[in-house]
Amino acid sequence: MLEELKKQVYEANMELPQKGLVTYTWGNVSGIDRERGLFVIKPSGVEYEKLSPEDMVVMDLSGNKVEGEMNPSSDTPTHLELYKAFKDLGGVVHTHSPWATSWAQAGRSIPCYGTTHADYFYGDIPCARGLTKAEIEKDYEKNTGLVIIETFKDKNPIYVPGVLCTNHGPFTWGKDAGEAVHNAVVLEEVAKMAYRAEHLKDGISPAPRVIQDKHFFRKHGENAYYGQ
Amino acid sequence: MLEELKKQVYEANMELPQKGLVTYTWGNVSGIDRERGLFVIKPSGVEYEKLSPEDMVVMDLSGNKVEGEMNPSSDTPTHLELYKAFKDLGGVVHTHSPWATSWAQAGRSIPCYGTTHADYFYGDIPCARGLTKAEIEKDYEKNTGLVIIETFKDKNPIYVPGVLCTNHGPFTWGKDAGEAVHNAVVLEEVAKMAYRAEHLKDGISPAPRVIQDKHFFRKHGENAYYGQ
Amino acid sequence: MLEELKKQVYEANMELPQKGLVTYTWGNVSGIDRERGLFVIKPSGVEYEKLSPEDMVVMDLSGNKVEGEMNPSSDTPTHLELYKAFKDLGGVVHTHSPWATSWAQAGRSIPCYGTTHADYFYGDIPCARGLTKAEIEKDYEKNTGLVIIETFKDKNPIYVPGVLCTNHGPFTWGKDAGEAVHNAVVLEEVAKMAYRAEHLKDGISPAPRVIQDKHFFRKHGENAYYGQ
Amino acid sequence: MLEELKKQVYEANMELPQKGLVTYTWGNVSGIDRERGLFVIKPSGVEYEKLSPEDMVVMDLSGNKVEGEMNPSSDTPTHLELYKAFKDLGGVVHTHSPWATSWAQAGRSIPCYGTTHADYFYGDIPCARGLTKAEIEKDYEKNTGLVIIETFKDKNPIYVPGVLCTNHGPFTWGKDAGEAVHNAVVLEEVAKMAYRAEHLKDGISPAPRVIQDKHFFRKHGENAYYGQ
């Protein structure tokens, strides 16, 4: 079942090591079929070079495995909460990509210092608060999803397609698995350039809102004019 | 029309990802035929792996599309202003290359700390002032060109073949599209080494003018003796 | 003799340059056959591209060469001490991988700033004290092993599968030569991200113990649930 | 003439871009035949992909071109002075490799922070003083050689096979062209790790002399025991 979606999710997973976003098995991608209410995700801890489309695991939105011989990614409950709360998401990615993870380890949101950031993320890329002891000890992966959702209570997840989890790493998303990976690549570039910009100027300020608006809405929404 | 120029511009565009200067579609190259008053530029938002020479868009210097099925790069009005103001330019490049963009995000010109810089850029690589709200909201890309031109009112664009745009990224140029890309690669190297030199020495000073002169004029002008 | 082990150790050695952990001959891997009390190690100063499985040198735990035409790695006495003291090790790796070596040169242990670290190393990755003049001048390589063992007097080497040696570089280990290389790769990633996290936040603190516990024991021990 | 030496020098030149030490034409290697008093060097400003062994230029130690259709590297007078002053050199390399050049731009010698450095360079890798105005304006490349020689008046160039030139970049050398390139690679690695070690520890000190001695003389001189 869901052969086309499995193939898409498989290919999106394979893109992670190709783009330099993951070492070993440190990442996972999922994609959802909204009509059927089923999502497809990478199995847990399997090396990328050994994956095939058939290895993808099919889950329902109650967290039951519907198809697949292997255990799904240990981060599956996080993906699940995101799909339930953010109705427009078609794909979710988690990585430990090094620049984004460094910001997450510092517990800092990434300010928007320029147009590369503003072309994809509207405003800061937020860092979710650290989990409490209770949230970590029981249902850790589910609570990781819930704290992301809490972080977005005043934000539009389509305008800000990613987040950092304190002491952990990034999650990104998009309209499908491929776009979620695309946003993971962008986040890594943006995280790198923000680090360097801060080290080039003490007391640096974010880019003015007007240029953030210009770039974001040049590519998104009804007045977009970038591309074909 | 302009088949040879299209091919040159296509190849110069393809060099951007090969040299590690662009991620996804974050860059564009153009080249001009001065006799005909027409320039050729990459279409907007098209992936490099899908480009072909025939996809290049031909524009006149009034901003009209003369040939091509696709929309030209959204940065076309910037290229246009540069060609009109700087009569010796044969090619223009825009990228979001990470080191140069980090300086642009910090809003800083790159001081000349050594001979690698002085071999190609005479003095600072300037950072243009940020645009005003009005300049951003209307004719943003054209105004980006105009603020670059303003930055060069006391500079020779042939001696300083590139600029940083605050909160945005670099533009470079040259006698043709290939040389413009060459200068984009040099700028990225120079930006990287200037960052690191500053972090190795508090209160670092630029290289003495005499060594900047020596290196720049060893490679440029009538007394040049570098090369064959 | 030990053909299978030689092949494993050869392949683990070859992985070092493939993973970007060594320049020239700056690294070595060994693996042990605990039943026979013999270990296999790379010959000293031989280029990786010229190595073959037959070049691996077989040593006993008294430091005698049992088989092999070449001299064993000059670091052999360090490997030997580690095998004698830490009974569960099956493989040992030494590299000068740049991020881990930078921490070693600074004489600093790597704090656990996040889950990437906690997935593999429980708590700090310690930096062993510098050797005394006497320890350096006589039996330097053996004393390097002894000071590592001293560093672990209150630590479990299976929970913390690596160490930094002051002014020198890292050693890692694992249940076999392949896992020891795996841990060397992880250490390098972790060292890089810890450096960057510190430069993103003054006064950064390690990740809370509860999240370190969660991640470490999600992958290790009887309650592990990561993987298949 | 000197076909074997030309081939060696050609191959050593080609190694520079392969090892990531040069961008475009920013480097050159030479090698000398001491019996004949002739050295072979890369032609000036020729792209590496277009080089062939026959393009190498043969020079005598008075600075006359003995064979070759092209101009020799503009840095030829620097190589020449080094060969005349340092009688044991068989090969010389100049690059603008980014880490070493960053130290040169900062005008700083590289302290010995660890064994990677001490395995190849005994003590600091010195930064030569900046040239005076007069030294730059006339016979610049020759004076670059002379200031290097001045820097080594109390140093053994075999023990310290490289130098940084203020505001410029590194020169390295060795018993032949290949070893000179080897030392250029080592210098770049050492420069990178020294930068990072300094940023990990305020007030960092060089490695104790005793460990520098141990490592340097483990690989060099009559008591060496590293390798086969």
Side-chain angles (χ1 to χ4, degrees):
Chain A
M1 63 192 299
L2 300 173
E3 300 309 317
E4 183 53 33
L5 183 61
K6 279 182 193 166
K7 187 157 169 291
Q8 273 178 36
V9 171
Y10 163 76
E11 285 170 1
N13 271 289
M14 295 307 287
E15 221 183 318
L16 296 182
Q18 287 159 20
K19 298 286 189 187
L21 297 186
V22 306
T23 299
Y24 294 121
T25 60
W26 307 351
N28 44 73
V29 184
S30 68
I32 193 165
D33 180 325
R34 285 285 178 185
E35 289 194 13
R36 301 210 202 177
L38 298 174
F39 67 102
V40 164
I41 192 164
K42 179 177 174 291
S44 181
V46 177
E47 294 174 35
Y48 286 93
E49 49 267 48
K50 296 186 182 163
L51 275 187
S52 71
E54 302 78 53
D55 294 332
M56 299 297 115
V57 181
V58 182
M59 304 291 297
D60 69 22
L61 286 169
S62 305
N64 302 306
K65 184 161 76 172
V66 175
E67 191 191 71
E69 293 186 13
M70 286 193 270
N71 299 331
S73 165
S74 57
D75 297 308
T76 298
T78 313
H79 292 241
L80 175 58
E81 293 305 318
L82 297 180
Y83 284 127
K84 288 199 294 184
F86 301 156
K87 302 297 186 190
D88 295 325
L89 305 197
V92 173
V93 172
H94 171 54
T95 76
H96 291 227
S97 66
W99 286 104
T101 300
S102 298
W103 283 85
Q105 292 190 161
R108 290 189 55 199
S109 302
I110 305 177
C112 178
Y113 291 126
T115 62
T116 322
H117 180 129
D119 280 336
Y120 291 88
F121 295 88
Y122 190 61
D124 285 6
I125 300 167
C127 186
R129 68 169 172 79
L131 299 180
T132 63
K133 188 164 184 295
E135 287 168 335
I136 290 167
E137 289 180 338
K138 183 161 171 8
D139 295 331
Y140 168 65
E141 292 84 1
K142 175 179 177 174
N143 289 327
T144 297
L146 294 180
V147 83
I148 293 171
I149 295 160
E150 175 189 320
T151 305
F152 278 74
K153 65 179 182 295
D154 301 319
K155 286 181 189 289
N156 178 342
I158 296 304
Y159 279 20
V160 184
V163 70
L164 305 175
C165 293
T166 293
N167 295 132
H168 188 25
F171 283 82
T172 58
W173 46 77
K175 67 177 196 293
D176 55 29
E179 191 180 273
V181 171
H182 190 109
N183 288 332
V185 172
V186 174
L187 170 55
E188 186 67 1
E189 281 297 296
V190 163
K192 175 173 70 183
M193 297 198 294
Y195 175 103
R196 292 175 180 166
E198 291 196 350
H199 287 84
L200 284 167
K201 184 165 183 179
D202 284 340
I204 189 173
S205 300
R209 173 57 66 175
V210 62
I211 198 168
Q212 295 190 38
D213 285 347
K214 179 71 192 176
H215 270 262
F216 189 78
F217 294 109
R218 183 168 97 151
K219 291 185 86 163
H220 301 87
E222 59 187 27
N223 295 315
Y225 58 91
Y226 181 91
Q228 300 300 325
Chain B
M1 64 191 298
L2 299 173
E3 300 308 317
E4 182 53 33
L5 182 60
K6 279 183 193 166
K7 187 159 170 289
Q8 273 178 36
V9 171
Y10 163 76
E11 285 170 1
N13 270 291
M14 295 307 287
E15 221 182 318
L16 296 182
Q18 287 159 20
K19 298 285 189 188
L21 297 185
V22 306
T23 299
Y24 294 120
T25 61
W26 306 351
N28 45 73
V29 184
S30 68
I32 193 166
D33 180 325
R34 285 285 177 186
E35 290 194 11
R36 301 210 202 177
L38 298 174
F39 68 100
V40 165
I41 192 164
K42 180 176 174 291
S44 180
V46 177
E47 294 174 36
Y48 286 93
E49 49 268 47
K50 296 186 181 162
L51 277 186
S52 71
E54 301 78 52
D55 294 332
M56 300 296 115
V57 182
V58 182
M59 303 291 296
D60 69 21
L61 286 169
S62 305
N64 303 305
K65 184 161 77 171
V66 175
E67 192 191 70
E69 293 186 14
M70 285 192 271
N71 298 332
S73 165
S74 57
D75 297 308
T76 299
T78 313
H79 292 242
L80 176 57
E81 293 305 319
L82 297 180
Y83 285 127
K84 287 200 294 185
F86 300 156
K87 303 296 188 191
D88 295 325
L89 305 198
V92 173
V93 172
H94 172 54
T95 75
H96 290 228
S97 66
W99 285 103
T101 300
S102 298
W103 284 84
Q105 292 189 162
R108 292 190 55 200
S109 302
I110 305 177
C112 178
Y113 291 126
T115 62
T116 321
H117 180 130
D119 280 336
Y120 292 88
F121 294 88
Y122 190 61
D124 284 6
I125 300 167
C127 186
R129 68 167 173 80
L131 298 179
T132 64
K133 188 164 184 295
E135 287 168 336
I136 290 166
E137 288 180 338
K138 185 162 169 15
D139 294 331
Y140 168 66
E141 292 84 2
K142 176 179 176 173
N143 289 327
T144 297
L146 295 180
V147 83
I148 294 171
I149 294 159
E150 176 189 320
T151 306
F152 278 75
K153 63 179 184 293
D154 300 319
K155 286 180 189 290
N156 179 342
I158 296 304
Y159 279 20
V160 185
V163 70
L164 305 175
C165 293
T166 293
N167 296 130
H168 188 26
F171 283 82
T172 58
W173 46 76
K175 65 176 199 292
D176 56 27
E179 191 180 274
V181 171
H182 190 109
N183 288 332
V185 171
V186 173
L187 170 55
E188 185 67 1
E189 280 296 298
V190 163
K192 175 173 71 182
M193 296 197 296
Y195 176 102
R196 291 174 181 167
E198 291 196 350
H199 286 84
L200 283 168
K201 185 166 183 179
D202 284 340
I204 188 173
S205 300
R209 173 58 64 175
V210 63
I211 198 167
Q212 295 190 40
D213 285 348
K214 179 69 193 178
H215 269 262
F216 189 78
F217 294 110
R218 182 167 97 151
K219 291 186 85 164
H220 301 87
E222 59 187 28
N223 295 317
Y225 58 90
Y226 180 92
Q228 300 300 325
Chain C
M1 62 191 298
L2 299 173
E3 299 310 317
E4 182 53 32
L5 183 61
K6 279 183 192 166
K7 187 156 169 291
Q8 271 178 36
V9 171
Y10 163 76
E11 285 170 0
N13 271 289
M14 295 307 287
E15 220 182 319
L16 295 182
Q18 287 159 18
K19 297 287 188 188
L21 297 186
V22 305
T23 299
Y24 295 121
T25 61
W26 306 352
N28 43 73
V29 184
S30 68
I32 193 166
D33 180 325
R34 285 285 178 186
E35 289 193 13
R36 300 208 203 178
L38 299 174
F39 68 100
V40 165
I41 192 164
K42 179 177 175 291
S44 181
V46 177
E47 294 174 35
Y48 286 93
E49 49 268 48
K50 296 185 181 162
L51 276 187
S52 70
E54 302 77 53
D55 294 332
M56 299 296 115
V57 182
V58 182
M59 304 291 298
D60 69 22
L61 286 170
S62 306
N64 302 305
K65 184 161 76 173
V66 174
E67 190 192 71
E69 293 185 13
M70 286 194 271
N71 298 332
S73 166
S74 56
D75 297 308
T76 299
T78 313
H79 292 242
L80 175 57
E81 293 305 319
L82 297 180
Y83 284 127
K84 288 199 294 184
F86 301 155
K87 302 298 187 190
D88 295 325
L89 306 198
V92 172
V93 171
H94 172 53
T95 76
H96 291 228
S97 66
W99 287 104
T101 300
S102 298
W103 283 86
Q105 292 190 162
R108 291 189 55 199
S109 302
I110 305 176
C112 179
Y113 291 127
T115 61
T116 322
H117 180 129
D119 279 337
Y120 292 88
F121 294 89
Y122 190 61
D124 285 6
I125 300 168
C127 187
R129 69 168 173 79
L131 298 180
T132 64
K133 187 164 184 297
E135 287 169 336
I136 290 167
E137 289 180 338
K138 186 163 170 6
D139 295 331
Y140 168 66
E141 292 84 1
K142 175 178 177 174
N143 289 326
T144 297
L146 294 180
V147 82
I148 294 171
I149 295 159
E150 175 189 320
T151 305
F152 278 74
K153 64 180 184 294
D154 301 318
K155 286 181 189 289
N156 179 343
I158 295 304
Y159 278 21
V160 185
V163 70
L164 305 174
C165 292
T166 293
N167 295 131
H168 188 26
F171 283 82
T172 58
W173 46 76
K175 66 177 197 291
D176 55 30
E179 191 181 273
V181 171
H182 189 109
N183 288 332
V185 172
V186 174
L187 170 55
E188 185 67 1
E189 281 296 297
V190 162
K192 175 173 71 183
M193 298 197 294
Y195 175 102
R196 291 175 180 165
E198 290 195 351
H199 287 83
L200 283 167
K201 184 165 185 180
D202 284 340
I204 189 174
S205 300
R209 172 58 64 177
V210 63
I211 197 169
Q212 295 190 38
D213 284 348
K214 179 69 193 178
H215 270 262
F216 190 78
F217 295 110
R218 184 168 96 151
K219 291 185 85 165
H220 302 86
E222 59 186 29
N223 296 316
Y225 59 92
Y226 181 91
Q228 300 300 324
Chain D
M1 65 191 297
L2 300 173
E3 299 310 316
E4 182 53 33
L5 183 61
K6 279 183 194 166
K7 188 158 169 290
Q8 271 177 38
V9 171
Y10 163 76
E11 284 171 1
N13 271 290
M14 295 308 287
E15 221 183 318
L16 295 183
Q18 287 158 20
K19 298 285 189 188
L21 297 185
V22 306
T23 299
Y24 294 120
T25 61
W26 307 351
N28 45 72
V29 184
S30 69
I32 193 165
D33 180 324
R34 285 285 177 184
E35 289 193 12
R36 301 209 202 177
L38 298 174
F39 67 100
V40 164
I41 192 164
K42 180 177 175 289
S44 180
V46 177
E47 293 174 36
Y48 287 93
E49 50 268 48
K50 296 186 180 161
L51 276 187
S52 70
E54 302 79 51
D55 294 331
M56 299 296 115
V57 183
V58 182
M59 304 291 297
D60 69 22
L61 284 171
S62 304
N64 302 305
K65 183 160 78 173
V66 175
E67 192 192 69
E69 293 186 13
M70 287 193 270
N71 298 332
S73 165
S74 57
D75 297 309
T76 298
T78 313
H79 292 241
L80 175 57
E81 293 305 319
L82 298 180
Y83 284 127
K84 287 199 295 184
F86 300 156
K87 302 299 187 190
D88 295 326
L89 305 198
V92 172
V93 172
H94 172 54
T95 76
H96 291 228
S97 66
W99 286 103
T101 300
S102 298
W103 284 84
Q105 292 190 162
R108 293 189 55 200
S109 302
I110 305 176
C112 178
Y113 291 127
T115 61
T116 321
H117 180 129
D119 279 336
Y120 292 89
F121 294 88
Y122 189 60
D124 284 6
I125 299 167
C127 186
R129 69 168 172 79
L131 298 180
T132 64
K133 188 166 184 295
E135 287 169 336
I136 290 167
E137 288 179 340
K138 186 164 170 6
D139 294 332
Y140 168 66
E141 291 85 0
K142 175 178 177 173
N143 289 327
T144 298
L146 295 179
V147 82
I148 293 171
I149 295 160
E150 177 189 319
T151 306
F152 278 75
K153 63 179 184 294
D154 301 318
K155 286 181 188 289
N156 179 343
I158 295 304
Y159 278 20
V160 185
V163 70
L164 305 175
C165 293
T166 292
N167 296 131
H168 188 26
F171 283 82
T172 58
W173 45 76
K175 67 176 198 292
D176 55 29
E179 191 180 273
V181 171
H182 191 108
N183 288 332
V185 172
V186 173
L187 170 55
E188 186 67 1
E189 280 296 299
V190 162
K192 175 173 71 182
M193 296 197 294
Y195 175 102
R196 292 175 180 165
E198 291 195 351
H199 287 84
L200 283 168
K201 184 166 184 178
D202 284 340
I204 188 173
S205 300
R209 173 57 65 176
V210 62
I211 197 167
Q212 295 190 40
D213 284 348
K214 178 69 193 178
H215 269 262
F216 189 78
F217 295 110
R218 183 168 96 151
K219 290 186 86 165
H220 301 86
E222 58 186 28
N223 296 317
Y225 60 91
Y226 180 92
Q228 299 301 324

